[in-house]
Amino acid sequence: MKHLTRRQWNSAFIILIVVFLGVIQLIYRQPLDRLLMSAQQEPETTEQDAPLKSPYLDLIGDPAGVKSLTTNQFHLSIQEGDWASDVKLTVAPATLANRWLSLTGTAVNAEQVQQLMERAPMPATLTVKKEQADPVRLTYFDFGNFWLMQTCEGKWLAVSVATDYLFPFPVETTTEVSSDS
């Protein structure tokens, strides 16, 4: 029986190491390929089944192109490049417009909305008019300690802000004038 020389042993070890690395590569590469393929082929989920990516939602979404905001208490519109109001406010019309346009809140799921609707106060509407688009009417409810608002995407959010933040009207003193005729 012939013994292997030192050079032949070295060659055999190198071949065994290359074969070993190839087997390891095959073992670990295949699951990695499957993982990468499954990440690309995620099953489609409905909007109700998909978890919310962020607990916060924007009321308006993309505020670009908004030309007017209207409630039953005020009308804000862009006139000659600046925001203008039809009623007297304690803040600049642009400030109030920015408050509404940047309003974000906590997402509320359908079950919570259904429970809240059982004791909901009278609804109110914010009409958002964008350039070259039909007006979007957003329903909101004032629950006293928070607002429940519908977003432009039809989702619901809860916002905790003071009433005068969204409706900054001056407190007017009224005096009754009696008419004796």
Side-chain angles (χ1 to χ4, degrees):
M1 183 164 181
K2 189 174 180 184
H3 292 295
L4 296 175
T5 65
R6 183 178 202 143
R7 186 175 202 170
Q8 290 172 332
W9 278 110
N10 286 344
S11 296
F13 280 129
I14 290 173
I15 291 171
L16 286 173
I17 289 172
V18 169
V19 169
F20 177 75
L21 291 175
V23 170
I24 296 295
Q25 180 71 15
L26 285 175
I27 291 171
Y28 286 108
R29 182 183 172 127
Q30 193 170 3
L32 181 62
D33 287 344
R34 275 191 239 141
L35 178 66
L36 293 174
M37 290 170 68
S38 67
Q40 292 171 352
Q41 300 172 352
E42 289 182 10
E44 292 183 21
T45 57
T46 63
E47 202 170 307
Q48 295 172 344
D49 296 336
L52 296 172
K53 292 177 178 71
S54 169
Y56 304 106
L57 296 175
D58 295 325
L59 177 66
I60 306 295
D62 182 15
V66 173
K67 289 296 183 189
S68 70
L69 300 169
T70 306
T71 70
N72 63 346
Q73 297 182 29
F74 66 80
H75 174 76
L76 296 173
S77 62
I78 295 181
Q79 297 175 0
E80 299 176 12
D82 291 326
W83 285 97
S85 174
D86 65 338
V87 296
K88 188 176 181 180
L89 303 170
T90 58
V91 297
T95 301
L96 181 57
N98 286 332
R99 287 178 182 178
W100 280 94
L101 293 174
S102 63
L103 198 60
T104 61
T106 304
V108 179
N109 65 35
E111 182 181 321
Q112 292 169 324
V113 170
Q114 186 175 6
Q115 290 174 354
L116 289 168
M117 289 301 174
E118 293 173 2
R119 60 181 181 93
M122 287 293 292
T125 303
L126 170 69
T127 304
V128 179
K129 176 74 172 128
K130 290 188 174 189
E131 289 179 344
Q132 302 174 354
D134 291 333
V136 178
R137 289 173 181 79
L138 307 177
T139 304
Y140 64 91
F141 299 89
D142 181 4
F143 280 88
N145 56 345
F146 72 96
W147 299 79
L148 180 65
M149 299 181 167
Q150 185 180 29
T151 68
C152 286
E153 292 84 29
K155 298 178 182 176
W156 290 91
L157 60 94
V159 180
S160 296
V161 295
T163 301
D164 62 349
Y165 181 80
L166 298 175
F167 299 98
F169 304 118
V171 178
E172 295 184 23
T173 57
T174 57
T175 56
E176 287 188 28
V177 178
S178 62
S179 60
D180 293 328
S181 327

